[in-house]
Amino acid sequence: NAYNVSLTQPLFRWQNYAQYGQARWQVVQAEANFAQAAQDLILRVAQAYFDVLYAQENLKAVRASKQAIAQQLEQARKNFEVGTATITDTHEAQSRYDLASAQELAGENDLEVKRYALRVIVGRDPGELNRLRVDATLLPPQPANMEKWVEAAERDSYAVQAQLAAVEVASKEIERARAGHYPTLDVV
């Protein structure tokens, strides 16, 4: 009878070390992708929000125009009854009023579509939105130098960071594949 116990403890394997470095870069890449997705969500919400505000203001302007055209129509009818205008003037005023009514319906539909798009993004009905302040002033971007913005985009962009991490992951994969032929150090 014979009994044999064997214990092997790897001390150093370069491919495992390269794989560890690769995993660290994959984490960096995943974090950059996540940050990019969060930034994209913020932009989509802001765009949908301002689309709703724009549609509301557009509808408000169309309704004001329709009200003015309704007054012109009423004036044209009175002028026709008195005899100071022709029936053509009355029909023209009526057609402008009908066009304004159609534009109002289109504006209402556009507002509903924009509100629905915002509701889909945020997951619930946002209710009444805060409007922009009348006295709001928009300041130009700082710094005003375009080259500084390009440098910041190249340095801080999440998409660029993710791609740089992908390059590092690929280089670690090459290193890991090459290390498969390197000698290992084990304690037996």
Side-chain angles (χ1 to χ4, degrees), residues 39-89:
Q39 191 175 52
D40 289 344
L41 177 63
I42 290 168
L43 288 174
R44 285 182 27 228
V45 169
Q47 183 65 50
Y49 185 88
F50 288 118
D51 284 348
V52 170
L53 290 180
Y54 178 75
Q56 286 175 342
E57 291 300 317
N58 190 30
L59 181 60
K60 193 168 140 182
V62 167
R63 285 182 175 158
S65 175
K66 180 183 173 185
Q67 186 178 11
I69 292 171
Q71 291 174 354
Q72 290 174 354
L73 175 62
E74 189 60 35
Q75 186 67 32
R77 285 182 181 159
K78 286 181 183 178
N79 287 343
F80 177 71
E81 290 173 3
V82 174
T84 58
T86 64
I87 191 70
T88 306
D89 296 333

Side-chain angles (χ1 to χ4, degrees), residues 9 15 32 64 74 90-91 102 112 117 124 126 160 167-168 173 180 187:
Q9 174 64 43
Q15 68 268 22
E74 189 60 35
T90 306
H91 289 309
E112 284 303 313
R124 62 183 174 89
V160 171
V167 167
E168 290 297 326
E173 179 64 27
V187 173

Side-chain angles (χ1 to χ4, degrees), residues 3-65:
Y3 295 99
N4 185 12
V5 175
S6 175
L7 174 68
T8 303
Q9 174 64 43
L11 293 180
F12 182 76
R13 292 189 177 168
W14 188 256
Q15 68 268 22
N16 291 353
Y17 181 73
Q19 188 174 14
Y20 172 72
Q22 183 182 25
R24 287 184 25 216
W25 281 107
Q26 286 173 331
V27 168
V28 169
Q29 183 182 15
E31 288 173 347
N33 286 335
F34 179 75
Q36 179 68 42
Q39 191 175 52
D40 289 344
L41 177 63
I42 290 168
L43 288 174
R44 285 182 27 228
V45 169
Q47 183 65 50
Y49 185 88
F50 288 118
D51 284 348
V52 170
L53 290 180
Y54 178 75
Q56 286 175 342
E57 291 300 317
N58 190 30
L59 181 60
K60 193 168 140 182
V62 167
R63 285 182 175 158
S65 175

